[in-house]
Amino acid sequence: MSISGDGEGFGSSREISSSEARRRIAQAVSIALGTTPADRSTIAKANEYIQSVKDSARGWILCARELESLDKVDPSSYNYVFFCLEVIWNAATSSGGDRYVRAPLQARVELRRVLLKAMEVMSVLKASSFPSFLKTKLAVTVVGILRHDYPSTWPDFFTNILKGLQKGGIGRADIFLRVLQAVDQEIVGFDEKRSKEEVKHINHIKKHMHQTCIKPVVGALISIAGGLASSHHHIAKNALNILREYTAWISVDIVASNHFLKQIYGFISNPRLRDSAVEILNEVIRKRSVDSIQKIALIDRTKVLELISSAKSSNDQDYSESLAALADSIVVQAIGCCRDLDTRAREARVDRKGDFEAKFKNGAKRSLAIAMESMKIVIAYGQAGDFRVAEQI
């Protein structure tokens, strides 16, 4: 299929060359956005043509070619670049991504190459001048493609961006974080509208990430947060906030390790990052896949009870809120474990499994002790004069 248009308007049946189609796309976008003055009729035709590009099986291929010269784009063309990314994203996401999935493998491979090149350009060349909305759109578009091709035909994606990150630079860290955030929101995040097949595919993606790249990804997030804590604390904080989201679904073996916990506690000494660090610890103890006996051991190992007990009064509202939320989570988790273990102890007694009964009784006893101790702290936070802090309880 070819994008077509006549000499004056945007939509006849006469086929035109790729270069001419790309010129007309740029012209139509300029008119639709009001950059190029035009009458109402021409604006309507421009909008109609833009929609035809989005709906075309070939439109995303033409737009991908425009990204080849991203390093030569001036700020006046940023909206056009955004449109090109929108067309590619639309091809990968609308109607199950049929237009992209049905394309020849060579075209898909070429698109991935172009997108990786665009990521590098936005990371290095004029990195500070590329607007945030454009970098975010690029990341979301990349992830739209990743959702179809990873890990089957694009298994080395995370390996490649991790290698690129090792070259250093704020721009690379920025793009890396945007991609990871898009992965969490567009792929991993819960969506009740997903079919069983989609859920199965998402689980396959997560499993492959666990097997191949999740540990270095976590390491990279911690490294970014630590390396930029002083010079670019907003990027460092963003890295920890993304790590918090990943902590909710990655293996407990990773986030409950002594190495991981030591690094997270290291950020609590930084006033600008400590609230994010506490929120990560909160996610750790709320892991759903953990048995009650393991959950109590996890609460003890993370030393979160000691943290909230020793925390001094602070004027840092965000930090106080995160501590209050953590205290509340400890109570909820401990009470839940206490009930579960008490039930299991009674069942073990009926089954005459003395060893298990003793184990579950001891676990329930420790759970109750944790719940009682943390409840005192919860009450203190609940009486806080600041409504936002008390609201976390």
Side-chain angles (χ1 to χ4, degrees):
M1 176 178 179
S2 296
I3 299 296
S4 58
D6 57 31
E8 299 299 326
F10 298 99
S12 79
S13 59
R14 183 172 60 83
E15 292 189 352
I16 58 178
S17 66
S18 294
S19 59
E20 176 64 11
R22 287 151 62 191
R23 184 192 68 79
R24 292 189 180 189
I25 293 171
Q27 182 185 18
V29 171
S30 180
I31 291 173
L33 292 175
T35 305
T36 298
D39 56 35
R40 290 184 178 180
S41 175
T42 303
I43 293 173
K45 289 180 179 179
N47 283 315
E48 182 180 347
Y49 187 71
I50 286 174
Q51 189 59 49
S52 74
V53 173
K54 290 183 177 181
D55 296 338
S56 166
R58 188 181 173 220
W60 68 269
I61 297 176
L62 294 173
C63 287
R65 292 172 183 169
E66 293 295 275
L67 299 180
E68 284 275 23
S69 56
L70 188 61
D71 55 333
K72 299 180 178 64
V73 169
D74 61 76
S76 65
S77 299
Y78 285 164
N79 285 329
Y80 175 54
V81 173
F82 183 91
F83 170 78
C84 289
L85 291 169
E86 172 69 15
V87 172
I88 297 170
W89 176 84
N90 189 63
T93 58
S94 65
S95 302
D98 282 351
R99 273 168 289 158
Y100 174 73
V101 173
R102 293 178 180 177
L105 179 59
Q106 183 179 355
R108 294 167 64 174
V109 171
E110 180 64 13
L111 173 62
R112 298 197 301 250
R113 182 193 65 79
V114 170
L115 290 175
L116 287 176
K117 179 183 176 182
M119 288 174 60
E120 180 66 9
V121 169
M122 287 198 186
S123 297
V124 181
L125 298 177
K126 300 184 290 185
S128 61
S129 67
F130 282 107
S132 180
F133 77 87
L134 202 56
K135 290 184 281 189
T136 297
K137 188 63 178 180
L138 173 60
V140 170
T141 302
V142 168
V143 171
I145 300 300
L146 189 72
R147 182 169 179 166
H148 293 291
D149 293 353
Y150 182 86
S152 57
T153 60
W154 205 3
D156 58 350
F157 171 75
F158 289 101
T159 301
N160 287 335
I161 64 172
L162 284 165
K163 285 181 179 178
L165 188 64
Q166 291 175 358
K167 298 177 183 178
I170 302 301
R172 288 191 178 93
D174 184 30
I175 291 292
F176 178 77
L177 294 180
R178 290 174 193 271
V179 169
L180 290 188
Q181 189 165 35
V183 168
D184 184 71
Q185 294 175 348
E186 304 296 325
I187 296 180
V188 177
F190 175 74
D191 185 350
E192 61 181 10
K193 297 180 181 179
R194 286 176 181 159
S195 65
K196 291 183 179 179
E197 284 301 312
E198 287 178 309
V199 171
K200 182 179 179 180
H201 179 59
I202 295 302
N203 289 336
H204 180 55
I205 290 176
K206 290 163 65 175
K207 181 179 179 180
H208 195 268
M209 289 182 68
H210 272 107
Q211 293 174 340
T212 61
C213 67
I214 201 64
K215 284 186 178 180
V217 164
V218 168
L221 288 170
I222 292 174
S223 179
I224 290 172
L228 301 180
S230 299
S231 59
H232 296 81
H233 72 272
H234 60 291
I235 296 181
K237 191 174 185 67
N238 189 30
L240 290 183
N241 289 340
I242 293 172
L243 181 56
R244 178 196 66 220
E245 299 300 324
Y246 275 61
T247 298
W249 61 268
I250 62 179
S251 172
V252 67
D253 293 336
I254 296 175
V255 298
S257 68
N258 291 332
H259 177 67
F260 179 86
L261 295 173
K262 181 179 180 181
Q263 291 177 306
I264 299 306
Y265 266 95
F267 293 114
I268 293 180
S269 61
N270 187 318
R272 289 175 168 175
L273 302 179
R274 58 187 180 181
D275 59 308
S276 296
V278 170
E279 289 170 1
I280 292 173
L281 294 174
N282 198 343
E283 288 295 340
V284 172
I285 68 166
R286 291 168 59 194
K287 299 288 285 184
R288 295 182 179 180
S289 60
V290 182
D291 174 83
S292 293
I293 291 290
Q294 296 174 319
K295 176 62 68 73
I296 294 304
L298 181 61
I299 292 175
D300 283 333
R301 190 187 319 141
T302 55
K303 298 182 179 180
V304 288
L305 193 56
E306 290 88 336
L307 173 63
I308 61 173
S309 299
S310 62
K312 298 179 181 179
S313 177
S314 172
N315 292 325
D316 184 341
Q317 190 170 8
D318 291 335
Y319 184 50
S320 296
E321 286 181 31
S322 64
L323 287 171
L326 176 59
D328 187 60
S329 291
I330 296 172
V331 171
V332 171
Q333 297 299 319
I335 290 176
C337 289
C338 185
R339 289 173 176 171
D340 175 55
L341 292 172
D342 186 58
T343 299
R344 291 164 71 182
R346 291 197 302 270
E347 291 172 349
R349 185 188 313 141
V350 172
D351 295 337
R352 297 184 178 181
K353 296 180 179 179
D355 292 344
F356 285 101
E357 181 185 359
K359 177 182 178 181
F360 296 146
K361 276 187 174 181
N362 289 334
K365 183 178 180 181
R366 177 56 185 153
S367 300
L368 182 59
I370 292 174
M372 294 300 291
E373 188 173 349
S374 52
M375 182 65 76
K376 296 176 183 178
I377 301 170
V378 165
I379 293 173
Y381 276 117
Q383 295 174 340
D386 191 304
F387 175 76
R388 283 176 54 189
V389 174
E391 192 179 38
Q392 298 302 314
I393 306 303

